[in-house]
C-alpha cells in the first residue's frame, strides 16, 4: 500500500493542489486525467519532491516522508523507491543509452559498475534497445529516447513508477512503441501513477482512473465506470468535448 496524504501546493496565490489524499495498492495502474493546467504533473513532481509542496506526506512500505519538511537523507530513500519518466526524456546528452540507464543505479543505489551495467543491459533488452546501448541520445529517435528513459526508471526497481505524459513530446507515429513498453511494464506488475491524454490507452491499461480539476479529485473509479458512467457533470462535459474532437465534422 502506498498512502498519500494532504498534498497541497500553490504558486504565488494560485492553489494548484488542494489537500489531495490517495491510496494506491501494489500493482495498481492509476491514471490521472483532466484538463490541462489542473495540477496533474505538479502532483507527480511533488510525490518525489521535484516540487516542494506546502503540505503533504507519502508512505511507501515502512518509509514515511514529510514532503514539505524532508531532509536530504529522506529524499534519497524516497527516490530509491520511486522513479519518474518525464515528458521530455531528460537523458544525459553526453552519456550513451547504457550509461543513462546505469546512472541512477550507481549514484542513488551506490551499485558497482559491473552490476549496474548488467542490470542496464537487461532493461535495454526489455524495451527492445539493447543493440542501441552505445548510441547517444542525439542518434536516437524520440520514441527510442523515451524507451531508454523508461528502461532507466525500471532499472531502479521502483515501488512506484511515475509517468508524466510520457508520449506528449513524440510524433504520432512514435507513440505506439512507447505505449507498448508501458503496457508491458504494467503487465509485469509495476505499480504506476500515470498522467496521460491518451484516453484509449488509459481505458485499456489503467486499473483505476482519477479525474483531477482545480486541485481536487472529483472522480475516482475503474475505467469503465469513469468513462462510461461518470458521476460528475464536469467529467461528463469533459468527455463530451473529447468525443466531439474525435468525431468527423462532416460526412460525405
Amino acid at each position: 500500500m502506498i498512502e498519500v496524504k494532504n498534498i497541497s501546493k500553490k504558486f504565488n496565490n494560485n492553489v494548484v493542489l488542494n489537500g489531495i489524499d490517495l491510496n494506491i495498492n501494489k500493482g495498481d495502474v492509476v491514471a490521472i486525467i483532466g484538463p490541462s493546467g489542473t495540477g496533474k504533473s505538479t502532483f507527480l513532481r511533488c510525490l518525489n519532491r521535484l516540487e516542494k509542496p506546502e503540505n503533504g506526506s507519502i508512505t511507501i512500505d515502512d518509509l514515511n516522508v514529510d514532503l514539505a519538511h524532508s531532509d536530504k537523507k529522506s529524499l534519497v530513500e524516497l527516490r530509491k523507491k520511486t522513479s519518474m519518466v518525464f515528458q521530455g526524456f531528460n537523458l544525459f546528452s553526453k552519456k550513451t543509452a547504457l550509461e543513462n540507464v546505469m546512472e541512477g543505479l550507481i549514484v542513488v543505489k551506490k551499485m558497482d559498475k559491473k552490476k549496474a551495467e548488467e542490470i542496464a543491459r537487461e532493461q535495454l533488452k526489455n524495451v527492445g534497445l539493447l543493440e542501441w546501448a552505445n548510441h547517444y541520445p542525439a542518434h536516437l529517435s524520440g520514441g527510442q529516447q523515451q524507451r531508454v528513459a523508461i528502461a532507466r526508471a525500471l532499472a531502479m526497481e521502483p515501488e512506484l513508477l511515475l509517468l508524466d505524459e510520457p508520449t506528449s513530446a513524440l510524433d504520432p507515429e512514435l507513440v505506439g512503441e512507447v505505449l507498448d513498453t508501458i503496457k508491458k511494464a504494467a503487465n509485469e506488475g509495476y505499480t504506476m501513477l500515470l498522467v496521460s491524454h491518451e484516453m484509449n490507452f488509459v481505458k485499456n491499461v489503467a486499473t483505476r482512473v482519477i479525474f483531477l480539476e482545480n486541485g481536487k479529485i472529483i472522480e475516482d473509479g475503474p475505467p469503465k465506470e469513469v468513462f462510461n458512467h461518470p458521476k460528475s457533470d464536469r467529467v461528463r462535459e469533459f468527455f463530451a468535448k473529447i468525443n466531439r474532437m474525435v468525431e468527423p465534422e462532416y460526412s460525405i
Side-chain angles (χ1 to χ4, degrees):
M1 171 75 76
I2 297 167
E3 186 176 27
V4 175
K5 284 187 176 180
N6 195 32
I7 303 292
S8 300
K9 174 67 181 177
K10 63 182 180 179
F11 295 105
N12 298 320
N13 293 322
N14 180 29
V15 177
V16 179
L17 301 172
N18 192 4
I20 292 181
D21 297 325
L22 183 64
N23 290 333
I24 305 170
N25 293 317
K26 184 175 178 60
D28 274 357
V29 178
V30 182
I32 304 176
I33 64 172
S36 297
T38 55
K40 301 185 299 294
S41 295
T42 300
F43 180 53
L44 294 195
R45 293 174 67 85
C46 285
L47 293 185
N48 70 349
R49 256 302 300 275
L50 292 175
E51 292 283 357
K52 183 180 179 182
E54 274 68 47
N55 295 292
S57 66
I58 183 169
T59 301
I60 304 175
D61 297 330
D62 57 350
L63 175 69
N64 177 265
V65 178
D66 181 340
L67 295 167
H69 306 97
S70 51
D71 56 27
K72 187 175 180 180
K73 182 179 178 182
S74 296
L75 291 183
V76 170
E77 293 304 311
L78 176 62
R79 288 167 185 162
K80 287 179 181 178
K81 291 181 177 290
T82 62
S83 288
M84 189 157 181
V85 177
F86 301 88
Q87 298 178 34
F89 320 141
N90 283 26
L91 300 178
F92 294 106
S93 62
K94 294 184 178 180
K95 293 182 181 291
T96 64
L98 180 66
E99 290 168 338
N100 267 282
V101 179
M102 291 172 60
E103 184 74 7
L105 297 171
I106 294 169
V107 174
V108 178
K109 291 202 168 183
K110 308 301 181 185
M111 195 175 288
D112 68 77
K113 287 187 177 180
K114 184 178 180 181
K115 180 64 175 176
E117 181 175 346
E118 180 183 320
I119 292 172
R121 287 188 179 279
E122 183 63 24
Q123 288 299 338
L124 286 173
K125 181 180 178 182
N126 287 342
V127 300
L129 289 175
L130 183 57
E131 63 189 83
W132 296 85
N134 295 321
H135 287 67
Y136 291 89
H139 302 141
L140 302 173
S141 71
Q144 288 172 326
Q145 289 185 60
Q146 192 62 295
R147 283 152 64 198
V148 171
I150 293 169
R152 177 180 60 186
L154 296 179
M156 299 294 288
E157 296 185 329
E159 297 293 322
L160 177 62
L161 181 61
L162 305 168
L163 300 112
D164 183 14
E165 297 188 30
T167 61
S168 66
L170 300 177
D171 291 333
E173 64 182 350
L174 301 176
V175 169
E177 65 189 57
V178 172
L179 294 182
D180 286 344
T181 302
I182 296 169
K183 186 173 183 178
K184 180 181 176 183
N187 291 337
E188 290 172 356
Y190 282 94
T191 305
M192 299 185 188
L193 196 52
L194 165 71
V195 171
S196 180
H197 287 107
E198 299 284 344
M199 294 299 150
N200 284 332
F201 179 70
V202 167
K203 287 180 186 177
N204 292 320
V205 173
T207 58
R208 180 176 166 198
V209 176
I210 287 169
F211 189 97
L212 187 67
E213 188 170 56
N214 296 325
K216 285 187 171 293
I217 295 171
I218 63 173
E219 192 99 24
D220 181 353
K224 286 184 178 180
E225 288 297 314
V226 174
F227 280 93
N228 298 331
H229 308 289
K231 299 179 178 67
S232 162
D233 289 341
R234 176 64 187 97
V235 178
R236 284 193 287 272
E237 178 190 10
F238 176 81
F239 287 134
K241 287 182 177 179
I242 289 177
N243 291 335
R244 283 200 297 271
M245 289 174 64
V246 299
E247 289 174 355
E249 295 181 358
Y250 61 88
S251 59
I252 297 175

